[in-house]
């Protein structure tokens, strides 16, 4: 039952019965100067105004801590220098009231800085003379004092960060700061305006040895100062403070009486000088915007960066697709070109084969006509030789030389008839008859015939690995093969202007007999060497290019083969391989 009553009380309790806590942040230097009494009286007045409905929580901060509290929304209003207040306007800070004293006639000009030096320092007459000098100030009075001095230095065209030799931080006691100046630890002392007058008045101190550096006259402030004047401490609100509280607080502060030292709350209407000072020192609320960084650019222009990134990714994707298509198309074109080259080569080979067949066909027709027409004259020659031999024998004393000549004519006619008959058989497609042939004898016969047709003897050097080597081939075909090779070798060397020397080497290699014919002519070109035996080629004007083709055809008909090599003596080496036999059983 008690629990139910408590819950009902909480539900139906008026909202104003629950106290809200308002948080006030005070910069610690605000209570160190001339206005401490006013700050304390203001806190007491605010608590009275807000109670009993609201509570007031007061926290002292350093200026850095106060800025962090504002960023984290930990306070509702604060008291600080006018410079700090202006730095917070982008956080929603709005001034309610500002401090004014009876020593100034304008709340817009109630604060400045005074620079003190020894009266005997004749080298320090203007603020520019402080270059490379030691300057002291007290952080207890806030950073605005040094900010004001730096603003004056900046206005005279100097860089405050490198202007002074050293800036020393001193304690809050005025007498100790004056002692540091008197002892020469510092060359100049910077204080808030009116602090010196208050110290001398309360302590009856001697100030005759001090001199105000670059004093300002004809201003609204009745205290010595060396700088432009600015609004003093400001009482500012933040967006978390609603309009009702803002009105109550402002009214309460303006209704406060002035303190014994003459401080009271008023309304400042012109912060232009403060803004100009902060802007010149690059410490205003927009200073961070002027510092370019990747993070700031990304935060501000993230949509543009994202768009550019998407476009770049699209471009990369497009480029990769195009590159892939180009590679694929290039591969297809290469393959097509390769096929085209292969087809072109096949077409060229086919054309050459057709040309070869045409030439062979024409040669076959001519051979057929030649064999048919030459048979009758040869038969007539043989008849004439027979008749001539009978007439010579009738004389009773025939000349041996004449008979031998007639017999040679008849023998050659018979050989010519055999060649014609072989040609006819070849044209009719009849297979040639193979015999076991003694290579040395057949080679000697071919060389003798070649020398007879040459009308002079050629230098032919023959070397045999054995005395008796036998191969299986038709004797006439073997003779034609050797004569063709000898003629090609001889004419190839003779055309180069060198004395022809032909080398013949006969060897037995297993089941084959090899006959190598080599000349000492000029080296054969690569193109000609590559086509040897493949197609009809000739380097002679009257040649048909069928010599090696016929040789290759004859050798292959009997199961052999022909191989071409470059000769070590400079010319060409042709090696023919023919089936051999081991036993000496050849037909005569």
């Amino acid at each position: 039952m008690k629990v139910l009553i408590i819950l009902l009380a909480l539900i139906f309790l008026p909202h104003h019965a629950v106290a809200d806590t308002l948080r006030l942040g005070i910069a610690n230097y605000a209570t160190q100067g001339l206005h401490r009494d006013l700050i304390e009286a203001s806190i007491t007045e605010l608590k009275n105004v807000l109670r009993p409905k609201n509570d007031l929580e007061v926290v002292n901060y350093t200026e850095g801590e106060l800025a962090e509290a504002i960023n984290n929304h930990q306070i509702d209003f604060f008291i600080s220098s006018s410079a700090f207040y202006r730095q917070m306007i982008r956080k929603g800070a709005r001034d309610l009231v500002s401090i004014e004293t009876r020593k100034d006639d304008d709340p817009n000009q109630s604060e400045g800085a005074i620079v003190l030096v020894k009266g005997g320092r004749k080298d320090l007459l203007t603020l520019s003379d402080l270059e490379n000098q030691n300057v002291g100030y007290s952080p207890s009075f806030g950073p605005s004092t040094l900010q004001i001095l730096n603003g004056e230095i900046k206005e005279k065209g100097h860089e405050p960060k490198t202007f002074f030799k050293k800036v020393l931080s001193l304690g809050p006691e005025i007498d100790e700061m004056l002692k540091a100046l008197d002892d020469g630890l510092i060359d100049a002392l910077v204080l808030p305006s009116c602090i010196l007058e208050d110290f001398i008045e309360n302590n009856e101190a001697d100030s005759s040895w001090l001199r105000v550096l670059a004093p300002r006259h004809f201003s609204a402030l009745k205290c010595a100062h060396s700088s432009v004047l600015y609004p003093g401490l400001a009482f500012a609100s933040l967006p978390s403070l609603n309009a009702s509280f803002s009105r109550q607080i402002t009214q309460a502060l303006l209704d406060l009486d002035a303190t014994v030292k003459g401080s009271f709350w008023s309304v400042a209407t012109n912060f232009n000088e403060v803004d100009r000072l902060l802007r010149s020192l690059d410490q205003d609320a927009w200073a961070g915007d002027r510092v370019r960084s990747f993070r700031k650019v990304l935060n501000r222009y993230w949509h543009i960066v994202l768009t550019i990134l998407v476009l770049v990714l699209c471009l990369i994707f497009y480029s990769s697709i195009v590159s892939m298509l180009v590679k694929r198309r290039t591969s297809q074109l290469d393959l097509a070109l390769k096929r085209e080259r292969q087809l072109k080569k096949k077409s060229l080979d086919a054309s050459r084969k057709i040309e070869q067949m045409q030439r062979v066909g024409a040669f076959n027709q001519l051979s057929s006509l030649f064999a048919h027409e030459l048979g009758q004259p040869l038969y007539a020659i043989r008849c004439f030789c027979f008749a001539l031999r009978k007439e010579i024998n009738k004389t009773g004393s025939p000349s041996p030389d004449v008979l031998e000549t007639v017999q040679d004519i008849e023998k050659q006619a018979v050989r010519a008839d055999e060649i014609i008959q072989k040609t006819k058989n070849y044209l009719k497609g009849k297979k040639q008859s193979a015999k076991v042939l003694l290579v040395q004898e057949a080679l000697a016969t071919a060389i003798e015939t070649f020398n007879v047709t040459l009308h002079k003897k050629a230098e032919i050097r023959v070397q045999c690995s054995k005395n008796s080597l036998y191969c299986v081939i038709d004797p006439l075909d073997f003779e034609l093969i050797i004569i063709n090779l000898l003629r090609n070798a001889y004419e190839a060397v003779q055309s180069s202007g060198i004395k022809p020397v032909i080398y013949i080497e006969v060897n037995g290699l297993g089941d084959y007999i090899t006959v190598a014919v080599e000349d000492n002519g000029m080296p054969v070109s690569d193109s000609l060497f590559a086509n040897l035996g493949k197609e009809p080629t000739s380097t002679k004007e009257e040649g048909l290019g069928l010599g090696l083709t016929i040789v290759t055809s004859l050798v292959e008909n009997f199961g052999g083969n022909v191989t071409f090599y470059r000769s070590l003596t400079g010319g060409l080496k042709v090696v023919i391989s023919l089936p051999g036999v081991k036993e000496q059983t050849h037909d005569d």
Side-chain angles (χ1 to χ4, degrees), residues 196-314:
L196 180 62
E197 287 83 354
D198 181 70
F199 175 75
I200 294 174
E201 181 180 347
N202 294 330
N203 296 277
E204 299 181 357
D206 180 20
S207 62
S208 60
W209 61 280
L210 295 174
R211 177 165 54 88
V212 179
L213 187 64
R216 296 289 183 104
H217 303 287
F218 310 107
S219 62
L221 185 63
K222 300 178 179 64
C223 297
H225 55 280
S226 305
S227 67
V228 176
L229 298 178
Y230 305 92
L233 294 179
F235 194 111
S237 65
L238 292 169
S240 59
L241 185 68
N242 62 45
S244 176
F245 288 137
S246 176
R247 183 173 60 254
Q248 293 178 31
I249 292 171
T250 303
Q251 186 64 48
L253 294 178
L254 291 176
D255 290 341
L256 274 177
D257 295 331
T259 63
V260 175
K261 294 184 179 181
S263 300
F264 60 94
W265 292 108
S266 182
V267 177
T269 59
N270 187 356
F271 291 91
N272 289 338
E273 288 296 334
V274 178
D275 294 338
R276 182 187 60 80
L277 171 65
L278 294 176
R279 179 65 181 85
S280 66
L281 298 177
D282 202 25
Q283 296 177 358
D284 58 314
W286 290 269
D289 294 344
R290 293 191 293 272
V291 178
R292 296 297 180 184
S293 66
F294 178 76
R295 182 180 296 274
K296 290 182 178 180
V297 172
L298 187 62
N299 290 337
R300 185 171 183 177
Y301 303 105
W302 64 269
H303 52 288
I304 299 178
V305 174
L306 181 61
T307 302
I308 294 175
L309 182 60
V310 171
L311 291 177
V312 170
L313 291 177
C314 292

Side-chain angles (χ1 to χ4, degrees), residues 131-132 158-165:
E131 187 174 8
N132 294 324
H158 305 289
E159 177 54 48
K161 294 180 180 179
T162 59
F163 182 74
F164 302 108
K165 182 178 181 180

Side-chain angles (χ1 to χ4, degrees), residues 157-207:
H158 305 289
E159 177 54 48
K161 294 180 180 179
T162 59
F163 182 74
F164 302 108
K165 182 178 181 180
K166 187 181 291 185
V167 178
L168 300 177
S169 298
L170 305 175
E173 302 299 331
I174 302 297
D175 54 349
E176 293 182 1
M177 289 190 284
L178 292 176
K179 186 175 183 304
L181 178 62
D182 189 24
D183 293 341
L185 297 177
I186 55 176
D187 299 297
L189 176 63
V190 185
L191 294 173
S193 58
C194 299
I195 287 287
L196 180 62
E197 287 83 354
D198 181 70
F199 175 75
I200 294 174
E201 181 180 347
N202 294 330
N203 296 277
E204 299 181 357
D206 180 20
S207 62

Side-chain angles (χ1 to χ4, degrees), residues 431-470:
K431 188 175 181 180
Q432 304 296 320
S433 59
K435 299 179 181 179
V436 178
L437 184 68
L438 181 60
V439 176
Q440 286 88 341
E441 291 182 358
L443 190 61
T445 301
I447 293 174
E448 181 182 358
T449 304
F450 173 71
N451 285 329
V452 170
T453 57
L454 195 63
H455 304 295
K456 62 179 179 179
K457 290 187 177 181
E459 185 176 354
I460 301 175
R461 302 176 184 179
V462 181
Q463 181 180 357
C464 296
S465 60
K466 295 182 179 180
N467 292 329
S468 299
L469 293 172
Y470 299 90

